[in-house]
Amino acid sequence: MVKFDKVTVEYDGKAILKDVSFHIRENEKAVIYGKSGSGKSTILTTAVGAHIPSGGKVYFNSAPVSADNILQIRRAVAFIGQEPVLGAEKIRDSLLLPFSYKVNSRKAPPEDKISKILKELHLKEDVLQKDASVVSGGEKQRIAIARALLLEKRIFLLDEVTSALDPESKQAVIELFGKDGYTIISVSHDPDWFKTCSIFIKVENGKISRISDSPDDSAFLTHREIDTDGSN
Amino acid sequence: MEAINIRYSTMAMLYGVLLIPIIISIVLKLGTVKTILISVLRMTLQLGAMGLYLDYIFRFNNVWINSGYVLLMIAVANFTVNKNAGLRTARVFFTLMLGITISTLIVIALFIFLSIRPEPFYDARYLIPITGMIVGNCMRANVIALERFYSSIRKNEKEFLTYLLMGASLREAILPYLRDAVKPALAPMLSTIATLGIVSLPGMMTGQILGGSSPIVAIKYQIGVMIAIFTAITMTTVLTLLLSMKTSFDNYSILRKDIFRQ
């Protein structure tokens, strides 16, 4: 489904990713881990064409990512970062923002679908009336997930998606993405999140140093430990 | 009625008046004496040269010379826009040039050719100063709009990507940034228009009255010029941003980093 074949990404002449190769098939759940600044998030953003590789190729459903198919790929993939962008002042507007775009204009979700998804993510209905500026980081992450679910996305790129969630909401998110039907490439250091994943990719200095069906000991270092470990 | 000419001896005395700010600068140790002298020298040389070539252009009043001069004004303004908006000239110069040229020409056509209708239609006395005012304001507005637009997309890379991932086309994804860039570019002119005649006496009107026009004629021109300028800056900012996108985004709809000077 998503394949990196010897992908190198450079910025200002410096390689951020070097010869990165992996293959995530449909319904598989992968987690990328490693020190901060090692290139984990760049892998996610490269997958959706935010960086054009200077070497190697990215494939989606066996087709190389190109200018011709990037729009379709982006429409199939959700990217949820640590601080998701809501893009509107009111939460309801932010949930419905994608449906203001031409391509989704006929797919506006019915109210009961919105309610069902909010419930699934442990979000109260009254969150819809709130201002984006007053909701917590954890709520923002779940609203961004809800929006992607309203768009019926099945491929999720998740960057530390459980980092701001309380235990109960985290459980709800983990249960949701643990289901079949979702293909996931994530970046995380959360042991609970790791339990939902079956592919563990370790990144060091822009290179993949290990791909396995279980993480190594460095996976659960906290951010503090990672930062004092000599990385940036 | 002709304006009273200022004699060269009087001009010399006016330069002498500059001693007041120079003395103030020395006494308060403002450290601006050199800057004052250089600035006044530059003004004198630039305006002196302008007086000479405007005199020449007015005398010939040739359609090709006048049109060439208009294009030169636009090109120089465009260089300034590129430089001050922090963009690489080679990448965006021609698309920006197209934006400012189209909007300036449309407004000139509406304001000079259809409203004032000078004889001949390319009369330098109308075409050159009015175009100058329009282009000068377009230049200032474009600097603000381009700088805001591109620096804000660059700064909010992930936000921009989120819009694309929600299904937005490039046009739809840039819309919030376009709005945030155009509004501040138009705001100074809008507040100038609103306070004109109360806070400030417009330069053009003052000039016309000093030159012998009746205040009513001067006011009509001033209102016309303000409308022309505001229409031109609205058109040029939107058009320039939209046209510049062709060369500023890559095939994947991602902002090219090489459009920036740094």
Side-chain angles (χ1 to χ4, degrees):
Chain A
M1 186 150 228
V2 182
K3 187 179 163 190
F4 273 52
D5 184 21
K6 293 184 177 165
V7 170
T8 295
V9 171
E10 291 176 352
Y11 187 77
D12 277 344
K14 193 184 154 206
I16 312 170
L17 297 182
K18 293 165 221 160
D19 277 335
V20 168
S21 298
F22 62 83
H23 189 179
I24 310 299
R25 291 168 183 83
E26 196 170 351
N27 288 332
E28 284 184 335
K29 330 256 183 227
V31 59
I32 303 167
Y33 63 97
K35 291 175 183 173
S36 56
S38 58
K40 304 183 298 288
S41 299
T42 309
I43 293 179
L44 298 188
T45 47
T46 302
V48 286
H51 315 284
I52 299 179
S54 55
K57 271 195 161 47
V58 179
Y59 295 86
F60 251 89
N61 291 332
S62 310
V65 174
S66 70
D68 297 330
N69 60 13
I70 191 72
L71 269 182
Q72 282 73 28
I73 290 168
R74 284 186 183 143
R75 282 165 191 168
V77 178
F79 177 96
I80 295 155
Q82 296 181 56
E83 287 169 32
V85 175
L86 296 185
E89 281 174 24
K90 292 274 180 204
I91 298 300
R92 174 181 284 279
D93 296 337
S94 134
L95 269 182
L96 297 177
L97 178 64
F99 304 98
S100 67
Y101 301 139
K102 201 177 164 195
V103 72
N104 304 316
S105 59
R106 290 189 184 167
K107 298 180 198 159
E111 281 300 314
D112 57 336
K113 189 177 177 184
I114 298 176
S115 306
K116 188 172 165 257
I117 287 173
L118 290 182
K119 206 171 161 187
E120 211 172 345
L121 289 163
H122 289 227
L123 284 164
K124 289 179 185 157
E125 287 254 354
D126 64 4
V127 78
L128 291 175
Q129 319 312 328
K130 285 188 182 170
D131 273 1
S133 56
V134 301
V135 296
S136 68
E139 281 175 310
K140 273 187 189 165
Q141 281 181 321
R142 283 176 290 156
I143 290 155
I145 295 170
R147 186 163 63 187
L149 293 174
L150 288 173
L151 284 165
E152 300 186 334
K153 301 219 182 193
R154 289 287 175 263
I155 308 165
F156 283 81
L157 308 180
L158 307 170
D159 195 351
E160 302 282 5
V161 76
T162 56
S163 62
L165 300 179
D166 61 74
E168 199 188 334
S169 315
K170 187 162 88 176
Q171 201 47 44
V173 169
I174 288 173
E175 270 173 32
L176 175 91
F177 285 123
K179 288 178 192 167
D180 267 352
Y182 295 119
T183 306
I184 290 167
I185 307 176
S186 58
V187 166
S188 180
H189 292 99
D190 180 351
D192 294 326
W193 178 257
F194 271 57
K195 286 176 196 159
T196 62
C197 299
S198 52
I199 299 170
F200 300 86
I201 302 170
K202 184 177 180 180
V203 180
E204 285 179 288
N205 297 322
K207 283 184 179 170
I208 290 185
S209 58
R210 184 176 186 271
I211 300 183
S212 172
D213 56 5
S214 62
D216 69 2
D217 293 341
S218 69
F220 306 124
L221 290 175
T222 62
H223 282 290
R224 181 184 290 260
E225 286 165 327
I226 290 165
D227 290 340
T228 52
D229 206 27
S231 72
N232 47 5
Chain B
M1 195 170 75
E2 279 287 319
I4 302 163
N5 200 356
I6 301 178
R7 274 184 248 146
Y8 285 107
S9 56
T10 319
M11 282 303 294
M13 193 193 77
L14 284 175
Y15 279 106
V17 171
L18 274 173
L19 278 172
I20 299 171
I22 287 172
I23 289 168
I24 292 174
S25 176
I26 292 168
V27 172
L28 294 179
K29 292 184 180 154
L30 297 179
T32 52
V33 175
K34 199 175 158 194
T35 318
I36 293 173
L37 291 174
I38 291 174
S39 304
V40 172
L41 184 70
R42 277 189 61 166
M43 173 186 75
T44 310
L45 292 174
Q46 284 161 200
L47 288 182
M50 189 186 211
L52 286 176
Y53 64 64
L54 279 185
D55 200 35
Y56 177 80
I57 284 172
F58 285 7
R59 214 176 300 160
F60 273 85
N61 214 12
N62 173 287
V63 66
W64 299 112
I65 293 177
N66 293 1
S67 312
Y69 189 69
V70 165
L71 282 178
L72 182 72
M73 278 198 279
I74 294 174
V76 172
N78 203 25
F79 265 117
T80 315
V81 169
N82 274 227
K83 198 175 150 210
N84 292 324
L87 301 175
R88 280 214 181 124
T89 307
R91 222 192 235 264
V92 288
F93 183 80
F94 287 103
T95 42
L96 300 194
M97 183 79 185
L98 199 61
I100 197 167
T101 308
I102 293 173
S103 22
T104 307
L105 291 185
I106 289 176
V107 172
I108 288 175
L110 288 172
F111 185 58
I112 302 181
F113 304 155
L114 292 178
S115 310
I116 304 176
R117 295 185 204 174
E119 282 289 337
F121 72 90
Y122 52 82
D123 192 350
R125 283 176 68 88
Y126 295 90
L127 187 65
I128 305 295
I130 291 173
T131 308
M133 277 190 283
I134 291 171
V135 171
N137 282 284
C138 285
M139 181 178 81
R140 278 188 285 277
N142 267 359
V143 169
I144 298 172
L146 284 161
E147 201 279 323
R148 292 276 175 112
F149 182 72
Y150 285 113
S151 65
S152 143
I153 295 180
R154 188 189 206 184
K155 209 164 62 190
N156 299 295
E157 213 174 8
K158 280 200 174 160
E159 178 183 271
F160 182 70
L161 188 61
T162 304
Y163 295 141
L164 294 175
L165 287 165
M166 286 196 291
S169 63
L170 179 57
R171 285 266 169 99
E172 287 169 324
I174 58 110
L175 205 56
Y177 306 98
L178 185 132
R179 285 192 195 110
D180 289 349
V182 171
K183 270 195 257 176
L186 303 184
M189 182 48 67
L190 265 182
S191 49
T192 303
I193 290 176
T195 55
L196 218 56
I198 303 173
V199 180
S200 59
L201 200 59
M204 182 197 178
M205 211 177 110
T206 316
Q208 272 191 297
I209 293 171
L210 287 175
S213 289
S214 85
I216 300 298
V217 172
I219 281 167
K220 282 188 203 160
Y221 269 86
Q222 188 63 49
I223 291 172
V225 160
M226 295 316 277
I227 291 171
I229 290 174
F230 188 66
T231 310
I233 62 171
T234 310
M235 279 170 63
T236 193
T237 46
V238 175
L239 207 58
T240 304
L241 292 181
L242 291 178
L243 288 171
S244 70
M245 282 167 49
K246 291 254 179 242
T247 45
S248 310
F249 289 84
D250 64 22
N251 292 337
Y252 287 17
S253 302
I254 299 295
L255 185 64
R256 305 176 73 115
K257 308 286 182 294
D258 61 359
I259 64 159
F260 297 101
R261 277 175 188 265
Q262 285 170 347

